[in-house]
Amino acid sequence: MNSNTVLQAIQDIKTLKTQGASQVKKSFLKNIKIWIEQNHNKNLNQFNSDFQHIVSLFVKARSTEPAVFNMARKLLELTENEKSLSKLKQELIQLLTEFENRDQQNIQKIIQFGQKVVPNKSIAFTHCHSHTVEAILIQAKNKIDQVIATETRPLFQGRITAKNLAQKGIHCTLIVDNAAQTFMPKADFLITGADSVLANGNLINKIGTSIISKIAQENKVPHYVACTTEKMDPLSFFGKDTEIEQRNTNEVWSEQYAHITVLNPAFDITPARQIQGYITEKGILKPKKFAQTMKKEFKISKQSKQIFEKLFK
Ligand code: RUB
C-alpha cells in the first residue's frame, strides 16, 4: 500500500501546502479513497482499526474543519455496521464518490446564490483566501469594479486571492490588514469564507475576520459568508468548545527573546449578529436559520457522538 502518499497529504494539510477548508476536504476524500483501494488487508477488524486510525489522522491534522469530520463520521458509521470486508470497501468508495459529486454540485449552487449579493458596479472586500469566495467573485466579474483584499498576516493568503482574481481580469487593491477601517467605507459588501460554523450561528474563519467584520458592521457594509452546510460543526450542538488551531510561531517571528511570548492562533470567532447571511447550497440563510436547519438535518445519535469522540482521541 502506498501509505506514503496519504501521509504526505496529511503533512501538506498540516504545513498549509493544502490551504483553505474546501481543499482540505478534497484532499481527505481523494486520499482516503486511495488508501482504501490500495489496502489489501484480509481481516475486517484489522481493516476497521487501520481505517479509523488514518481517518483520525486527517481529522486531527486540522481540528477546526467540520466538513472533514462530518464526512468521517458517515464513513465510520458504515464500518460499524458492515460485516463483509469486500462489501464494506465497495460501500466506502461509493460514499466517497457521492461526497465528491455532491460537493461539486453544492459549490455550483453557492456560486449561483452568491450572485445575488453582488450589486452592479460594486466594490467587494475580502479577507484571506477562500476558494468558495473566489469562485463567486469570478462568476460575478462583470458586476465588480474592484476587490479590496487584505494581505492576511502572517502567511499572506490575501496575495493568492489578489493574484487569482487579477488573472481573471478583476482589478484588486491589496492592503495591509490594519488598513481595513481606511478602506471599508468604499466597499459595498464584505465576503469571506468559513472554516466552521457553530450551533449559535457564530463563524470561525481566518484570524482577523472578526475585527474586519466589526469594522464592516460599523460602516453598514453587510458581511456575507460563503460555505457549504457541512461546515456546520455538529459537536457544537453538544456544547463542545471548538479548539482553535495554534500554528507555528515562526510564521510570526522566528527570533526568540527573553520575556517575549509569540502566539499564532489561525482562526477567530465572528459573532452571528455581525453576519448578514450565509451563502450555502440551500440558499442565503440567516445565522439562526442555518443552525436550525442543520440541527434537524444532522440527526446526531449517541452512536455518532461516540464516533466523534473516538476520532479526536
Ligand atoms: C483559509 C480560510 C478560508 C476558509 C474557507 O485559511 O480561513 O476563509 O478556509 O476557505 P487557511 P474555502 O489559509 O489558513 O487554510 O472556501 O476554500 O473552504
Side-chain angles (χ1 to χ4, degrees):
M1 180 188 54
N2 188 1
S3 62
N4 281 345
T5 317
V6 179
L7 294 178
Q8 184 57 49
I10 294 170
Q11 192 56 18
D12 288 349
I13 292 172
K14 285 187 182 161
T15 57
L16 234 83
K17 214 167 159 192
T18 302
Q19 175 271 327
S22 54
Q23 301 308 299
V24 171
K25 178 180 64 185
K26 275 193 184 146
S27 166
F28 171 71
L29 295 178
K30 180 178 145 205
N31 285 290
I32 286 295
K33 218 182 211 182
I34 295 177
W35 188 93
I36 296 168
E37 280 164 352
Q38 298 186 351
N39 186 297
H40 299 301
N41 210 315
K42 297 267 179 284
N43 180 293
L44 178 67
N45 288 341
Q46 189 58 49
F47 174 87
N48 281 347
S49 152
D50 292 349
F51 184 66
Q52 187 181 312
H53 176 69
I54 196 78
V55 167
S56 169
L57 289 182
F58 269 100
V59 167
K60 287 191 280 199
R62 195 62 62 78
S63 54
T64 323
E65 305 295 355
V68 171
F69 56 82
N70 272 321
M71 290 174 175
R73 163 203 161 194
K74 291 194 177 143
L75 293 167
L76 290 189
E77 275 172 359
L78 279 182
T79 66
E80 301 225 332
N81 300 324
E82 184 49 63
K83 301 280 173 276
S84 142
L85 179 55
S86 59
K87 197 150 170 255
L88 172 63
K89 284 171 91 172
Q90 247 178 30
E91 285 175 7
L92 289 171
I93 299 279
Q94 195 183 330
L95 188 55
L96 285 160
T97 309
E98 274 169 32
F99 286 150
E100 282 170 336
N101 293 342
R102 202 184 55 202
D103 194 45
Q104 280 176 14
Q105 290 161 6
N106 287 346
I107 292 294
Q108 286 312 315
K109 287 184 192 162
I110 290 173
I111 293 173
Q112 291 319 317
F113 286 123
Q115 302 313 298
K116 296 187 183 169
V117 311
V118 185
N120 263 330
K121 298 190 189 319
S122 57
I123 298 184
F125 194 118
T126 191
H127 180 55
C128 197
H129 176 243
S130 149
H131 299 81
T132 323
V133 168
E134 186 184 299
I136 290 175
L137 295 177
I138 289 171
Q139 179 75 25
K141 180 182 152 178
N142 293 337
K143 297 197 278 175
I144 294 176
D145 271 359
Q146 65 161 308
V147 173
I148 300 171
T150 54
E151 60 180 357
T152 317
R153 290 208 164 233
L155 288 184
F156 305 106
Q157 291 95 324
R159 293 178 186 171
I160 307 175
T161 304
K163 273 193 200 164
N164 291 354
L165 294 179
Q167 267 170 14
K168 296 286 176 188
I170 299 175
H171 181 76
C172 289
T173 302
L174 187 77
I175 59 169
V176 297
D177 300 352
N178 284 342
Q181 170 52 42
T182 304
F183 287 85
M184 191 61 78
K186 296 180 196 295
D188 294 291
F189 64 103
L190 166 66
I191 183 162
T192 65
D195 282 278
S196 172
V197 183
L198 305 178
N200 55 10
N202 288 356
L203 160 73
I204 298 188
N205 193 50
K206 174 56 54 196
I207 192 85
T209 302
S210 167
I211 184 71
I212 290 169
S213 171
K214 184 83 195 150
I215 291 170
Q217 189 187 39
E218 281 173 6
N219 285 281
K220 301 196 168 31
V221 172
H223 178 186
Y224 290 98
V225 179
C227 65
T228 51
T229 56
E230 71 209 349
K231 288 189 178 173
M232 177 65 70
D233 180 351
L235 293 174
S236 64
F237 289 97
F238 294 110
K240 182 182 175 288
D241 281 342
T242 304
E243 190 191 321
I244 301 283
E245 195 185 326
Q246 302 293 317
R247 292 198 178 147
N248 194 327
T249 54
N250 286 342
E251 291 173 1
V252 180
W253 201 8
S254 57
E255 293 170 27
Q256 284 172 11
Y257 295 94
H259 310 300
I260 297 181
T261 305
V262 179
L263 295 176
N264 188 18
F267 307 104
D268 66 17
I269 302 181
T270 301
R273 63 176 178 278
Q274 284 169 215
I275 295 163
Q276 184 72 25
Y278 283 95
I279 308 167
T280 74
E281 74 277 9
K282 293 183 192 297
I284 302 175
L285 307 175
K286 291 279 178 204
K288 206 168 153 193
K289 176 83 183 156
F290 185 11
Q292 280 166 350
T293 309
M294 294 318 289
K295 191 175 181 186
K296 273 191 214 142
E297 202 160 292
F298 275 143
K299 291 191 204 114
I300 302 172
S301 63
K302 234 179 171 177
Q303 185 198 27
S304 21
K305 196 180 170 211
Q306 282 162 359
I307 289 178
F308 283 132
E309 280 160 4
K310 272 193 225 160
L311 281 172
F312 282 102
K313 239 198 253 161

